[in-house]
Amino acid sequence: MRPRIRPINYRQACAFIRTHHRHLGPPQGHKYSIGLAAPTGELVGVAMVGRPIARHHDDGLTAEVTRLATDGSRDTCSTLLAAAWRVARSMGYQRMITYTRHDEPGTSLRAAGWRAVADIPASSGWDRPARPRTSHGADQVARTRWQVTTPDWQARLTDSRNGDQTAADARRRRS
C-alpha cells in the first residue's frame, strides 16, 4: 500500500507544523491544507495553502504554499506539492508560488514541476520604529521564489485585471 493524500483541517496541519517544520511555526490562516498519510493512517507530511503573503502577488488567481513539512519520509514533499497544485487548479487558481531559503536546493519543487523564478535578497524584517514587529524566523534570510502555472495564466491574469469577463462569469451574473 502507498501513502495517500487526504484533506486535513487547520488545527491538524498546525500541530504537524509545530512538531516537524525546521524553522517556522504555523501560518495565521489558510485556504486549505492537505496531508499525506502512511498506510497505517499516520500523517507523514502536510502542505498548507493560502493567499500570497506579498500583496502584489495576491491577484485572485495565485495561491501560495505557505508551509510544507514532513517527517522525512521519501518523496513526501514532491507528492504534497503536486497534490496542492492539482487542488488549486481545480479551484480555479492559475498560478501557485512558494519560497525556499536560499541555501535549500529545491529538489522536491523541481521534481513536482515547479521552477525558480526569482532570487529575493534578505530583508531587514517587518520591524520599523513607527510599527514595531516581532521577527518570525524568515527575516534576514535570502530566499528563492518558485512557481508553477497553467499554460495560459498570463492571459487570464491580464483579462481579470482589465475587467474582462469569461463566459462562465457572464452566466453566473445572469443567474
Side-chain angles (χ1 to χ4, degrees):
M1 292 182 66
R2 297 177 14 193
R4 301 189 67 95
I5 294 291
R6 66 179 180 123
I8 59 174
N9 65 38
Y10 179 75
R11 201 170 274 158
Q12 291 170 305
C14 288
F16 193 91
I17 296 289
R18 279 188 202 92
T19 304
H20 293 93
H21 201 279
R22 285 183 271 169
H23 48 267
L24 293 173
Q28 290 295 316
H30 75 152
K31 291 264 186 192
Y32 64 91
S33 294
I34 56 174
L36 187 63
T40 61
E42 178 185 357
L43 273 180
V44 296
V46 300
M48 296 181 80
V49 177
R51 291 175 50 194
I53 302 299
R55 283 181 298 174
H56 60 277
H57 292 297
D58 193 7
D59 54 24
L61 298 175
T62 301
E64 181 176 330
V65 176
T66 54
R67 294 294 185 280
L68 180 72
T70 74
D71 67 358
S73 298
R74 182 178 162 94
D75 298 329
T76 303
C77 288
S78 55
T79 301
L80 283 164
L81 287 163
W85 176 230
R86 284 192 305 272
V87 171
R89 276 193 336 251
S90 71
M91 293 173 72
Y93 289 101
Q94 303 297 306
R95 177 173 74 145
M96 184 172 259
I97 61 174
T98 195
Y99 297 86
T100 59
R101 295 168 62 108
H102 205 40
D103 59 349
E104 297 173 328
T107 306
S108 297
L109 287 153
R110 281 189 189 89
W114 294 57
R115 62 186 178 91
V117 294
D119 290 323
I120 299 154
S123 71
S124 60
W126 293 96
D127 188 38
R128 301 289 182 270
R131 184 178 33 87
R133 298 288 190 268
T134 304
S135 174
H136 293 288
D139 300 338
Q140 299 158 351
V141 175
R143 297 171 296 144
T144 301
R145 184 173 60 244
W146 298 79
Q147 77 177 19
V148 62
T149 66
T150 59
D152 61 344
W153 84 274
Q154 288 279 19
R156 290 180 181 239
L157 180 61
T158 303
D159 290 348
S160 70
R161 286 188 176 155
N162 291 336
D164 296 345
Q165 59 183 353
T166 64
D169 291 334
R171 281 194 301 274
R172 218 176 293 121
R173 288 191 181 120
R174 277 187 250 137
S175 56

